[in-house]
Amino acid sequence: MSKDRMLASRRLDIALALLDQNDIEAAIEVAQAALSADPDWQETHFVLGDMFERADQRENAIEAFRQCLALDPVDRMGAEIRLTLLGAVALRDRLPPDYVRALFDDYAPRFETSLRDGLVYRGPELLFEAVRSWLPELLRPLRVLDLGCGTGLVADVFAGHVDVIDGVDLSPRMINRARAKGMYRNLVAADITDLPDSLDDDYGLVLAGDVLNYLGDLGPALRAAHARLVPGGLMVFTLEHGDIFPFDLGPGQRFRHHEGAIYDWLKDCQFELLSDATGILRQEKGRPVSGRIMVVRAGDGIANLLGGHDCVSEPDHSIDQTVH
């Protein structure tokens, strides 16, 4: 670390401490001093952008985030996302993979405590409740692919009800946490829109809890999942509902998907809707976040896997069930 970077780091620490004390003007002044010590440190530009945004200095925030992005084009800090939310750049069809990887690599050590205790996250339980009635009639051995497996919260719920679980996640550090639980057969660090050949192509069930909301266009992920399912295999996933077609980016930096667009993607990717429910996925700033829990089947051949269940082949584009 250079002498200038060390000085900038000390000043930035002071700026963040002032921010914690709600002294935004002083925090900005000290952060600018940190920038003068090391103008090429992208982290200072990002922190300044955040401070300017909190102070309702929109143009200054935009410039700071642009400087951060120029210094780090792969965008590990998510400057482009902040620019998108400020209306300064066009909305992309997914969050930058390098940003998501860096975010969850950093988040991994406190991920479960934060989600379970802080955000009261219930996604895995909602996935299980949504698909539970079909599980006994799926062909055995039942092989499951957990997309965006994180630290293995979904496996905590499903492990005793299926035969094999494989997991894939963009973050290697999240994968390491999941591996320590010993519930997965295989764990791979990869993008869920481009699944590696090392994974099977005969899964009976694909799970995607709180992962598709990092994608705007769901087509690539749904097609990749369909390619790994046996005919008639099931996929169950959560989404956040949006009112803008086909999707928009919410203030929590997650995509929200329009109902009509979801059904279009399912049809294009050869999935048939079995159920569409709503439930509270987590808390965010003390408020409940409602989401969709959807169960779909891949292609034909459902009779070989399931029996005695009515299927919804032509959804009425309404959410008519709530999972508590």
Side-chain angles (χ1 to χ4, degrees), residues 19 24-25 28 47-62 65 82 86:
L19 184 64
I24 186 70
E25 292 183 5
I28 289 173
V47 171
L48 258 176
D50 181 69
M51 291 177 177
F52 281 135
E53 188 174 356
R54 295 186 191 207
D56 294 323
Q57 298 182 36
R58 180 177 179 275
E59 294 304 318
N60 285 338
I62 289 172
F65 287 130
R82 302 297 290 271
L86 286 165

Side-chain angles (χ1 to χ4, degrees), residues 3-263:
K3 182 178 179 181
D4 286 348
R5 179 64 56 85
M6 291 178 67
L7 176 59
S9 179
R10 288 196 295 269
R11 290 176 175 175
L12 190 59
D13 286 343
I14 295 170
L16 291 170
L18 290 167
L19 184 64
D20 287 340
Q21 297 170 13
N22 296 318
D23 193 345
I24 186 70
E25 292 183 5
I28 289 173
E29 183 177 346
V30 177
Q32 289 173 322
L35 192 60
S36 68
D38 188 348
D40 295 329
W41 193 17
Q42 66 267 24
E43 184 173 337
T44 307
H45 288 283
F46 186 90
V47 171
L48 258 176
D50 181 69
M51 291 177 177
F52 281 135
E53 188 174 356
R54 295 186 191 207
D56 294 323
Q57 298 182 36
R58 180 177 179 275
E59 294 304 318
N60 285 338
I62 289 172
E63 178 60 24
F65 287 130
R66 282 178 172 160
Q67 289 296 322
C68 177
L69 188 59
L71 291 166
D72 181 24
V74 300
D75 198 19
R76 295 177 184 87
M77 301 194 73
E80 184 177 311
I81 301 168
R82 302 297 290 271
L83 288 167
T84 300
L85 292 171
L86 286 165
V89 299
L91 178 65
R92 292 183 181 267
D93 62 5
R94 65 175 298 171
L95 299 186
D98 286 285
Y99 162 70
V100 176
R101 184 182 297 108
L103 174 69
F104 284 100
D105 273 350
D106 178 68
Y107 199 16
R110 60 188 186 280
F111 179 76
E112 293 198 11
T113 300
S114 177
L115 258 67
R116 289 302 203 184
D117 298 339
L119 302 180
V120 199
Y121 176 59
R122 297 183 60 247
E125 289 79 10
L126 294 175
L127 292 179
F128 182 74
E129 289 300 319
V131 77
R132 178 171 59 176
S133 63
W134 283 289
L135 289 179
E137 300 178 43
L138 290 170
L139 285 180
R140 300 287 175 160
L142 178 53
R143 288 179 284 271
V144 175
L145 178 60
D146 183 3
L147 300 180
C149 63
T151 60
L153 290 175
V154 167
D156 288 340
V157 175
F158 277 82
H161 304 273
V162 302
D163 297 293
V164 171
I165 305 180
D166 292 337
V168 57
D169 197 278
L170 200 57
S171 164
R173 290 186 180 177
M174 298 286 269
I175 287 285
N176 288 339
R177 295 269 168 169
R179 182 174 289 112
K181 292 184 175 182
M183 293 185 294
Y184 290 91
R185 178 184 62 173
N186 296 315
L187 285 161
V188 183
D191 193 317
I192 65 170
T193 66
D194 186 21
L195 296 173
D197 294 338
S198 59
L199 294 170
D200 292 345
D201 58 3
D202 60 351
Y203 294 104
L205 178 64
V206 170
L207 309 171
D210 199 38
V211 61
L212 297 181
N213 44 280
Y214 292 99
L215 304 172
D217 181 1
L218 298 182
L222 290 175
R223 281 190 287 272
H226 190 283
R228 300 309 176 105
L229 281 164
V230 295
L234 303 186
M235 180 177 183
V236 56
F237 55 89
T238 59
L239 291 172
E240 294 181 28
H241 177 72
D243 297 320
I244 297 175
F245 187 94
F247 52 79
D248 70 316
L249 189 64
Q253 301 184 16
R254 287 179 293 270
F255 285 100
R256 302 176 295 199
H257 296 87
H258 189 278
E259 183 176 77
I262 296 169
Y263 291 127

